[in-house]
Amino acid sequence: MIKRIRNYLSVCKRKLWGIAGFDILKNVNHDRYVKRCLLVYITRPFKMKEISNRHQNFWQTKELARLLGGFQYRVDVIDYQNPYTRPRGKYDLVIGLIPRDIDVYSKHLKTDAKKIAYLTSSNLEFSSKSEQERLDDLYARRGVRLLPRRQGGAISKQIETFDGALFFGNDYNLRSYACFKMPPVFYIANNGYEHDFPIKHDKNPKKFLYFGSAGQVHKGLDLLLEIFSQESFPCELYVCGAIGSETDFVAEYAKELYHTPNIHTMGFVDIHSNEFEWLANECAFSILPSCAEGQAGSVVTSMSAGIISIVSKVCGYDPDEVILLPDCRKSTIQEYILKYSNADKTWLTEQSKLALQNARKKYSKQSFTKSVQDALNSILKE
């Protein structure tokens, strides 16, 4: 009852702040330009004294706003998760995180305004369907119904009227948008991190790292727990992520998570901590059998530490960058774990160095900046 009251009060507050315009961050670059841009993404990074490393999008959001200032736009930011926000005035440009609920800002655009979609995932319909299939499969295996965590609304057909789209992913992911007549799509490079600690390349091939955000069934952690918890399984799994909020998942997999000798549940781990340094220099592999992604940030985070990634095809990386699972059947995942846990030491060292090289050259912060800059140059040119 108390939780319901708190949720109700939270919604009321969001409505009032949205209607009053208090949650619009105005002119975040403190510019004097005449042209106005509305950035529909996340507002939290602009309220922080220091940028958090919790997720790449904290830095990316501020960098995107900075780049828009370079095109002489005064940038206002609203949070895509608050549907009650009501902008003021008319804008010359809007960049929206997945163009759903477009009516929030459609009345606040000039007739000749440019519209850019900011796509960080596969088509939401594909993602929602894929997660439901995973949940159904879990029910068939264990007879338990867990809550969906990654269900999204439908993407508006109006995306076809946009002037361009910035997209995290590759050709494989983009196919999920085949039901739309897409505007010009520009691939954006996700970014990894630079670490202060020395990175070892002679890691333990028997140790695997799971690095995931919300939606553990969506990400495939249930499959990994069932594999690694088998009696006498010869490899170890380190589980990193804020899984505590998914109480139904934790209850179902408590034995695997907390009472299995070769599974180590770490919880949320700061990537600049001593704990992460130890994991990065111990685990030869990260593994992510996710059912739907854009370009999974946890993968490039692993690559930044010289960790070799074994991932599903939907994670947004190409075969010369990661080891791609042909499918996410439990038997296939187990086969790949056992195969690569016995890989040649020389090969492991070479692949670790290649992962680090890709992170520093293809997925650096500079790569993100250049890919966005090039895309904006093409879309916003007169």
Side-chain angles (χ1 to χ4, degrees):
M1 183 67 177
I2 294 175
K3 187 175 181 180
R4 287 183 180 178
I5 293 173
R6 285 176 178 171
N7 289 338
Y8 174 75
L9 292 174
S10 177
V11 171
C12 289
K13 180 180 177 181
R14 289 169 65 196
K15 283 184 177 181
L16 289 172
W17 278 56
I19 294 170
F22 293 151
D23 56 350
I24 301 174
L25 301 186
K26 298 180 180 179
N27 194 12
V28 294
N29 293 327
H30 309 291
D31 293 321
R32 296 182 179 180
Y33 300 125
V34 175
K35 291 188 299 182
R36 300 179 67 203
C37 169
L38 181 65
L39 175 57
V40 186
Y41 196 12
I42 53 178
T43 55
R44 191 176 170 193
F46 298 95
K47 302 174 184 178
M48 295 177 167
K49 291 181 179 179
E50 294 184 6
I51 296 296
S52 169
N53 291 309
R54 192 177 183 94
H55 195 285
Q56 284 99 330
N57 62 13
F58 283 74
W59 174 81
Q60 290 170 356
T61 307
K62 294 199 74 171
E63 179 67 358
L64 177 56
R66 186 188 71 83
L67 292 172
L68 289 165
F71 287 86
Q72 298 188 342
Y73 285 95
R74 190 169 80 246
V75 181
D76 295 347
V77 185
I78 62 175
D79 197 300
Y80 79 101
Q81 291 184 309
N82 189 352
Y84 310 110
T85 302
R86 293 296 177 265
R88 300 288 188 270
K90 297 286 188 178
Y91 288 91
D92 303 273
L93 168 67
V94 63
I95 296 186
L97 177 65
I98 311 177
R100 46 185 165 162
D101 300 325
I102 190 172
D103 288 338
V104 169
Y105 51 80
S106 61
K107 297 176 182 178
H108 300 277
L109 300 179
K110 294 181 180 179
T111 54
D112 59 346
K114 297 256 187 181
K115 296 177 292 184
I116 301 175
Y118 197 68
L119 305 175
T120 62
S121 69
S122 298
N123 186 347
L124 294 179
E125 185 177 353
F126 168 81
S127 298
S128 299
K129 180 181 177 182
S130 298
E131 183 189 43
Q132 190 57 54
E133 289 173 353
R134 288 286 182 95
L135 292 167
D136 292 342
D137 182 57
L138 173 59
Y139 178 74
R141 295 195 317 271
R142 296 175 70 112
V144 62
R145 280 284 179 195
L146 298 188
L147 295 172
R149 307 284 178 178
R150 303 295 291 253
Q151 297 291 299
I155 293 179
S156 171
K157 190 76 171 174
Q158 292 189 57
I159 192 174
E160 297 180 351
T161 70
F162 276 49
D163 297 282
L166 310 185
F167 181 60
F168 287 94
N170 58 12
D171 290 343
Y172 186 89
N173 306 82
L174 189 58
R175 289 175 204 157
S176 66
Y177 290 88
C179 57
F180 297 108
K181 186 178 180 180
M182 292 291 286
V185 175
F186 299 86
Y187 293 105
I188 303 304
N190 210 340
N191 69 276
Y193 297 92
E194 294 183 6
H195 298 289
D196 295 330
F197 57 82
I199 293 174
K200 292 168 53 180
H201 296 289
D202 56 337
K203 308 172 195 285
N204 189 336
K206 303 292 185 184
K207 294 185 176 182
F208 290 73
L209 177 66
Y210 167 81
F211 221 14
S213 57
Q216 306 313 317
V217 176
H218 180 105
K219 301 284 185 179
L221 178 57
D222 57 320
L223 301 171
L224 297 178
L225 293 176
E226 292 174 21
I227 292 169
F228 280 86
S229 63
Q230 296 174 96
E231 186 175 355
S232 301
F233 195 74
C235 302
E236 297 179 65
L237 178 67
Y238 292 82
V239 180
C240 297
I243 66 172
S245 61
E246 299 183 31
T247 53
D248 56 339
F249 180 88
V250 173
E252 176 62 24
Y253 284 96
K255 180 181 178 181
E256 291 85 349
L257 286 166
Y258 302 112
H259 304 289
T260 306
N262 62 322
I263 296 176
H264 315 282
T265 301
M266 314 294 289
F268 176 79
V269 175
D270 187 331
I271 62 164
H272 291 305
S273 66
N274 292 334
E275 192 174 31
F276 182 78
E277 178 181 353
W278 184 87
L279 288 168
N281 287 326
E282 282 289 316
C283 300
F285 300 99
S286 69
I287 185 161
L288 187 67
S290 180
C291 67
E293 299 287 338
Q295 190 173 68
S298 64
V299 175
V300 72
T301 298
S302 298
M303 292 166 64
S304 300
I307 303 174
I308 306 163
S309 296
I310 302 175
V311 304
S312 51
K313 293 178 180 178
V314 299
C315 286
Y317 296 88
D318 296 326
D320 60 339
E321 301 170 330
V322 297
I323 298 169
L324 289 178
L325 294 163
D327 59 66
C328 286
R329 291 180 296 177
K330 202 161 72 170
S331 58
T332 301
I333 298 170
Q334 177 169 315
E335 176 189 341
Y336 270 61
I337 291 169
L338 294 175
K339 173 184 175 181
Y340 286 102
S341 69
N342 292 298
D344 175 76
K345 186 175 181 180
T346 301
W347 180 88
L348 287 166
T349 299
E350 291 174 351
Q351 293 302 306
S352 173
K353 290 179 178 178
L354 179 61
L356 182 60
Q357 178 182 314
N358 281 332
R360 288 179 173 176
K361 290 187 176 180
K362 299 175 68 174
Y363 298 106
S364 64
K365 285 185 174 180
Q366 292 80 7
S367 299
F368 171 85
T369 296
K370 185 179 186 306
S371 61
V372 173
Q373 181 79 43
D374 290 346
L376 294 177
N377 280 337
S378 296
I379 299 171
L380 299 178
K381 65 184 179 183
E382 295 299 331

